[in-house]
Amino acid sequence: MKKLLILGAGTAGTIMANKLSQQLNLNEWHITIVDKDETHYYQPGFLFIPFQIYSRNDVIKPSRDYLPPSVEVIVSGIDIIEADKNRVKLTNNKVLTYDYLIIATGSQINPEETEGLKNGNWYKNIFEFYTLEGACHLQKFLKHWTGGKLVMNIVEMPIKCPVAPLEFLFLADWWFTEKGIRDKVDLTFVTPLPGAFTKPKASKILNSFLDKKNINLVSEFNTGSVDGENNKIISFDGKEIEYDLLVTVPTNMGDPVIERSGLGDELNFVPTNKNTLQSKQHENIFVIGDATDLPSSKAGSVAHFQADVLTENFMRHIEGLPMLEEFDGHANCFIESGFGKGLLIDFNYDVEPLPGKFPLPGIGPFSLLQETKMNHWGKMMFRWVYWNLLLKGSELPIEAQMTMAGKRL
Amino acid sequence: MATKEIAGVQVELDDEGFMTNPEQWNEDIARALAAEEGITELTDKHWEIINFVRKDAKEKGQVPTIRRMNKAGGIATKDLYELFPNGPAKKAAKISGYPKPQGCV
Ligand SMILES: Cc1cc2nc3c(=O)[nH]c(=O)nc-3n(C[C@H](O)[C@H](O)[C@H](O)COP(=O)(O)OP(=O)(O)OC[C@H]3O[C@@H](n4cnc5c(N)ncnc54)[C@H](O)[C@@H]3O)c2cc1C
C-alpha cells in the first residue's frame, strides 16, 4: 500500500482528501488526514459574528462529516515533520510514515509579534475577529458600546482574506447606522498598504467607497507597537494613532510546526512552486492553501482553485508524468459592503481586479467591482456552497484558471 | 524599460527607477540612487543593510522583506525605518540595485 498523508483538515486539506479519495485507486493507496481539532470552522463567517448576523453555531460543524469514509482521520497535534525520513511525529507520540505528504496547515494570527499588542486590554478594548473566540468577544463588546473612535488596523501583510478588514468597516458603518449611533462613531482604517487594496484599480474603487461611507483611511502605516495604557498604536517611524476601540488583524504566520520542522520562511510559510504547488525542497511534498508562500491571496476560494490544479498534478506525478504548471493565482472574493449590498472581485497573479459581469460575460448575475444586492446574496450563499459543494470537492461553475471574458479593461 | 547614466555607467531602469540588472550595480551607483531618495550620506549602518540585501537577494532570488532582514540579517526594524525613511524595504532594494520587492495580491 502506498501512503498519502495530509496535514490539516481545514478548507484545503478537506477538499484534497475528498478529491484524491475519488481519484486514487484505494486498493493501492491509504489516505490519512491529521488535525488537532475535531471541529471544522467556516472562517468567512467569523466576519459576521460581531454584528450578530451569525452566531457560533452557524460557523462550526464536525470535521468528520465532511471527510470521506475511506480516509483515516486522526485527531492530534502535529509535533514535527521529518521530511528527510518521510515521517511525521504527532503530539500523541504516534509516528506516521508516508510516500507523499500534502501540507495544508493554514495560517494563524500572532498578536505576540507586535510589542504591547497583547496587553492587559486584550479582549477589553482591543479585539480581533480572525478566531471564533475573538469574534464572539467582539460581539459582546459591540452590543453595549456607545461610540467613540474605532480603529481597524492591519499590522502587517500578508493576511488571509485581505478584504476582510474592509468588509468589517463597511458592516460597522451599517451596524452603527442601524443602532442610531453612527454620528458618535469615528471609523478609521489603518493599513500598511498604499490604499484600500493591494492592486491599483480595485484600490481606487474601494477608496471611493471608504470616502462615501465616511471612513477615514491612513495608508502606509507600519505598526511597530501598541501603547495599551494610552490607547495608541505607534508606527515604526514614530507616527501615533489614538483609539477607543482597536480592532486588529495581527501578523499572520504559518503554524509553528513548520518552523520546528525547518520547512518555512520567516513567516513559517512553506516555499512552494507557484504554478505546480510542489514544495521547493522536497519532491514528494505538496503544499496548498494558506500554508504556502505564494503571492496569491490567502482565501478559501483560492484553496479551491489550487485543489483542482493539485489533484491533476498529483495524479500525473505518481504516474511519472511531468506536471502541468497551471495555477495562475486565481482568486474570487465577494466583498460585503453593508446595507444588504456587496461587491465582487476576480483576479490572478498578473491581472488585477477589473469591472464587468461574472461568471457569464455580459449577463452575470454578479457584477464585478460594483455594489449590488445580488453580490450580497452571493456572499450569503457562499456559506451553503462552502459546506455543500466546495469542501466536498464538487465542481463549481467557475474554472480554476481566471478568464478575461466579461471583464472591462 | 529605459537606460540612464548614473555615476558614469549606463544602467537599465524600470518605470519606477529600480535597476533591472543588479550586475550593473556598484557602490557609486548606490550613492547616487541614495541621493535621489534624499539620503545624502551612506553610513556604515546603511552599508551593512545594503550588503545584506545584495547577498540575500543573490542567494534567494528575491529581495528580503523587512521581517527577513530582521530575522536572518539581525537588522532591527526600527533602524531600518530610521536609515531608509518611508518604505525601507523598497528603498533598500532600490539602492542595492535590485527590482522593487513583489507585493502580495
Ligand atoms: C475573518 C475571515 C474571513 C474570511 N473570509 C473569506 C471569504 O469571504 N472568502 C474566502 O474565500 N476566504 C475567506 N477567508 C479565508 C479562508 O477561511 C482561508 O483562506 C481558508 O480557510 C484556508 O484554508 P487552509 O486549509 O489553507 O487553512 P485552514 O482552513 O485554516 O486549515 C488549517 C488546519 O490545519 C490544522 N493545523 C495547523 N497546524 C496544526 C498542527 N500543528 N497540528 C494539528 N493540526 C494543525 C488547523 O487546526 C486547521 O484545521 C476568511 C478568513 C477569515 C479569518
Side-chain angles (χ1 to χ4, degrees):
Chain A
M1 278 296 243
K2 288 218 157 142
K3 286 187 265 187
L4 166 65
L5 177 57
I6 303 174
L7 300 182
T11 314
T14 302
I15 301 177
M16 285 316 295
N18 281 303
K19 283 195 174 271
L20 286 176
S21 69
Q22 285 159 26
Q23 297 273 328
L24 289 168
N25 179 348
L26 297 177
N27 295 319
E28 288 171 17
W29 285 86
H30 182 77
I31 307 175
T32 306
I33 191 165
V34 187
D35 201 296
K36 59 177 181 288
D37 219 316
E38 284 178 286
T39 303
H40 190 111
Y41 298 90
Y42 174 61
Q43 298 175 44
F46 295 175
L47 168 72
F48 296 103
I49 288 178
F51 307 105
Q52 297 178 18
I53 300 168
Y54 289 164
S55 65
R56 176 181 281 271
N57 286 336
D58 292 319
V59 298
I60 53 172
K61 304 235 188 209
S63 306
R64 196 52 181 116
D65 295 357
Y66 294 85
L67 291 162
S70 56
V71 169
E72 184 187 354
V73 183
I74 300 178
V75 179
S76 167
I78 302 153
D79 186 25
I80 192 160
I81 304 163
E82 297 174 319
D84 296 330
K85 302 195 177 102
N86 294 336
R87 68 184 188 201
V88 172
K89 223 175 114 193
L90 306 184
T91 54
N92 68 7
N93 282 326
K94 224 176 150 161
V95 176
L96 304 172
T97 57
Y98 61 81
D99 295 290
Y100 284 93
L101 184 70
I102 295 178
I103 299 178
T105 43
S107 84
Q108 341 163 328
I109 55 161
N110 294 265
E112 299 80 9
E113 289 288 313
T114 304
E115 191 190 322
L117 178 53
K118 211 163 176 184
N119 62 46
N121 288 322
W122 185 251
Y123 291 165
K124 294 210 175 83
N125 73 340
I126 303 179
F127 295 89
E128 50 83 18
F129 61 93
Y130 269 50
T131 65
L132 179 53
E133 198 198 355
C136 290
H137 278 287
L138 185 50
Q139 183 190 71
K140 273 192 214 136
F141 178 88
L142 283 182
K143 224 185 249 176
H144 304 294
W145 197 47
T146 50
K149 183 162 184 187
L150 188 163
V151 169
M152 170 79 244
N153 178 222
I154 299 175
V155 168
E156 165 175 12
M157 292 296 289
I159 59 168
K160 54 181 157 184
C161 199
V163 293
L166 272 177
E167 297 184 275
F168 180 88
L169 284 163
F170 293 156
L171 283 170
D173 169 58
W174 159 77
W175 159 264
F176 293 123
T177 305
E178 291 285 295
K179 285 187 78 174
I181 58 166
R182 181 63 181 90
D183 58 333
K184 296 195 179 64
V185 179
D186 178 287
L187 293 173
T188 302
F189 183 33
V190 183
T191 168
L193 295 170
F197 193 65
T198 46
K199 297 281 158 162
K201 272 219 175 81
S203 196
K204 210 169 141 206
I205 293 175
L206 292 168
N207 282 351
S208 73
F209 273 100
L210 290 175
D211 249 4
K212 209 170 75 184
K213 294 173 192 286
N214 211 358
I215 301 168
N216 312 308
L217 172 68
V218 179
S219 55
E220 298 186 332
F221 186 97
N222 293 282
T223 308
S225 60
V226 176
D227 176 352
E229 231 157 77
N230 298 303
N231 296 331
K232 287 194 287 209
I233 54 174
I234 303 160
S235 72
F236 280 111
D237 48 2
K239 286 177 274 181
E240 298 187 349
I241 291 173
E242 289 185 7
Y243 62 81
D244 296 309
L245 166 58
L246 176 63
V247 181
T248 174
V249 181
T251 302
N252 279 216
M253 292 171 79
D255 194 86
V257 69
I258 303 298
E259 185 176 20
R260 286 198 294 274
S261 311
L263 290 175
D265 63 12
E266 293 69 48
L267 288 166
N268 303 344
F269 293 129
V270 187
T272 306
N273 179 306
K274 70 180 219 183
N275 299 117
T276 63
L277 304 176
Q278 191 175 34
S279 140
K280 284 188 180 165
Q281 290 175 48
H282 299 274
E283 201 216 342
N284 63 340
I285 299 183
F286 292 85
V287 196
I288 182 167
D290 295 352
T292 73
D293 74 336
L294 301 191
S296 49
S297 276
K298 295 194 184 296
S301 66
V302 175
H304 161 79
F305 296 133
Q306 288 175 345
D308 285 351
V309 173
L310 180 52
T311 303
E312 184 121 334
N313 278 342
F314 188 82
M315 295 310 291
R316 292 180 65 95
H317 189 73
I318 59 172
E319 297 288 342
L321 297 170
M323 288 184 285
L324 301 168
E325 300 204 353
E326 276 194 311
F327 185 61
D328 63 353
H330 190 188
N332 177 279
C333 306
F334 287 103
I335 305 176
E336 186 65 16
S337 60
F339 298 94
K341 290 187 179 170
L343 295 115
L344 176 65
I345 53 177
D346 190 66
F347 56 103
N348 69 11
Y349 288 139
D350 304 315
V351 181
E352 63 171 316
L354 296 168
K357 290 282 182 191
F358 188 87
L360 300 176
I363 297 169
F366 301 116
S367 308
L368 296 165
L369 272 177
Q370 260 171 47
E371 200 183 27
T372 67
K373 283 212 164 81
M374 188 51 107
N375 289 339
H376 161 73
W377 288 113
K379 177 98 190 178
M380 298 323 268
M381 252 158 47
F382 187 63
R383 182 165 62 128
W384 186 89
V385 170
Y386 183 89
W387 292 116
N388 294 286
L389 300 174
L390 190 129
L391 283 183
K392 295 187 177 149
S394 312
E395 292 286 316
L396 297 189
I398 309 175
E399 289 291 319
Q401 280 74 32
M402 200 200 73
T403 162
M404 283 305 287
K407 297 198 168 85
R408 294 194 307 272
L409 274 168
Chain B
M1 211 190 309
T3 52
K4 187 176 157 191
E5 188 178 309
I6 302 177
V9 186
Q10 288 292 332
V11 295
E12 288 157 26
L13 298 178
D14 70 8
D15 297 346
E16 291 172 275
F18 287 78
M19 288 176 64
T20 51
N21 180 1
E23 296 296 316
Q24 296 179 326
W25 181 92
N26 64 37
E27 294 191 354
D28 286 333
I29 293 177
R31 287 191 193 93
L33 290 172
E36 276 179 26
E37 295 297 323
I39 301 169
T40 45
E41 199 203 332
L42 289 177
T43 62
D44 287 353
K45 276 193 140 179
H46 285 103
W47 284 114
E48 194 190 312
I49 294 164
I50 294 168
N51 291 335
F52 175 76
V53 170
R54 289 199 51 94
K55 184 175 138 269
D56 197 59
K58 194 161 186 181
E59 275 171 29
K60 295 275 168 183
Q62 62 187 41
V63 290
T65 59
I66 290 178
R67 181 171 279 275
R68 178 158 177 84
M69 292 191 225
N70 182 276
K71 268 210 167 171
I75 300 159
T77 307
K78 268 213 140 77
D79 290 352
L80 268 173
Y81 279 89
E82 254 163 46
L83 296 163
F84 300 92
N86 302 322
K90 260 191 274 176
K91 282 200 178 162
K94 186 170 190 177
I95 296 167
S96 304
Y98 273 84
K100 188 171 164 179
Q102 290 246 313
C104 30
V105 288

